[in-house]
Amino acid sequence: MSKSMAVPPSATSAWPTLHISQHPAVLHKLAVLRDIHTEPKKFREVVRELSWLLGYEALADARIRPLTVRTPIEETQAAELADRIGLVPILRAGLGMVDAMLELMPTAQVWHLGLFRDERTLRPVEYYNRLPDSATVDVCLILDPMLATGGSATAAIEVLKRWGAVRIKLVNLIAAPEGVDAVTRAHPDVPIHCAALDRQLNERGYIMPGLGDAGDRQFGTGKTG
Ligand code: PRP
Ligand code: URA
């Protein structure tokens, strides 16, 4: 018999900043992503499609300013994006989320952060950061498919806050309750947008049921036997 996938919705009331997409297209694509038989090419496609949908939801409160345009018929009032958007993919798995977000927000800046999780301690290790001295964007979207213990996300948020970023959002495909709890305790001002909140972590810090290792599945680097 299959095991329960998600925590019950009533349990999420402790995390007011958590937004779990309920869109049918998101749920459908998530099933493809989870499936062990989904090959890297298809996996990358679906990461991209889900990122677009989640990014669309996460940026619903981006600021706009009025603009006047002339249609072929007459002049009219319109709007343009006023916020400078920063995309912060966490290497390596977050890379697969960037292109879709750039389609959505073509003028966004992309600032890569390199973090990997030490397999033994499960603590994040920073290995790449070329942020300039002070923040150059109004809104930062941290892109990472997986929120597991929350160590990587918390570290990324701390880096961005030290940089001077004020409006920070986390965009994940799958989150674990442990990670949501860690991030919301440390950074209650940071909204979390995800496609699913799964049941729990296993003893190796992997999300159950999850999708396995998001980096390996995108880039075909998983152990083969
Ligand atoms: C994965 C994932 C997150 C992190 C989540 O990256 O992409 O960055 O683990 O785990 P946490 O919430 O417990 O910190 P990983 O360290 O496997 O690196 P990779 O993307 O290079 O494979
Ligand atoms: N990182 C992943 O890629 N998958 C998990 O389940 C947890 C951390």
Side-chain angles (χ1 to χ4, degrees):
M1 198 173 61
S2 65
K3 297 203 180 129
S4 127
M5 203 161 67
V7 296
S10 57
T12 64
S13 56
W15 302 309
T17 50
L18 176 65
H19 305 273
I20 309 170
S21 180
Q22 305 296 330
H23 198 290
V26 168
L27 301 179
H28 180 93
K29 290 174 194 300
L30 196 55
V32 179
L33 207 63
R34 289 188 190 278
D35 190 335
I36 190 173
H37 298 112
T38 300
E39 297 294 332
K41 178 173 186 293
K42 181 70 182 171
F43 192 91
R44 288 192 297 272
E45 270 171 36
V46 180
V47 166
R48 181 190 171 97
E49 292 164 359
L50 278 169
S51 303
W52 198 99
L53 291 164
L54 291 180
Y56 181 80
E57 291 182 351
L59 286 169
D61 63 351
R63 290 189 290 223
I64 50 171
R65 59 177 162 244
L67 173 75
T68 305
V69 293
R70 177 170 287 281
T71 76
I73 312 298
E74 62 183 9
E75 208 169 72
T76 187
Q77 287 305 303
E80 66 179 355
L81 194 63
D83 275 331
R84 295 167 303 168
I85 310 285
L87 306 176
V88 184
I90 307 300
L91 306 178
R92 102 207 112 130
L95 280 177
M97 302 174 73
V98 175
D99 282 356
M101 294 294 305
L102 279 173
E103 272 169 23
L104 190 62
M105 294 286 163
T107 57
Q109 301 174 23
V110 183
W111 295 105
H112 300 83
L113 269 189
L115 293 173
F116 71 85
R117 201 167 71 144
D118 182 295
E119 281 186 11
R120 196 177 47 82
T121 63
L122 299 184
R123 295 300 306 154
V125 180
E126 185 177 319
Y127 63 91
Y128 185 84
N129 173 354
R130 298 292 303 272
L131 289 169
D133 288 346
S134 55
T136 55
V137 294
D138 302 304
V139 182
C140 276
L141 258 58
I142 299 175
L143 309 178
D144 194 332
M146 308 305 272
L147 177 62
T149 64
S152 305
T154 305
I157 294 166
E158 279 159 12
V159 166
L160 293 178
K161 284 190 172 173
R162 279 200 300 276
W163 188 42
V166 179
R167 290 160 61 204
I168 302 172
K169 294 166 186 256
L170 191 55
V171 183
N172 304 116
L173 302 187
I174 300 184
E178 294 89 334
V180 173
D181 205 50
V183 169
T184 51
R185 275 175 199 278
H187 301 286
D189 55 317
V190 174
I192 303 171
H193 291 264
C194 64
L197 177 67
D198 276 9
R199 200 171 73 246
Q200 66 186 108
L201 298 179
N202 69 13
E203 68 288 348
R204 291 174 51 229
Y206 276 83
I207 300 176
M208 296 192 290
L211 50 72
D213 188 301
D216 284 346
R217 291 202 62 191
Q218 283 181 76
F219 302 118
T221 50
K223 293 186 186 69
T224 51

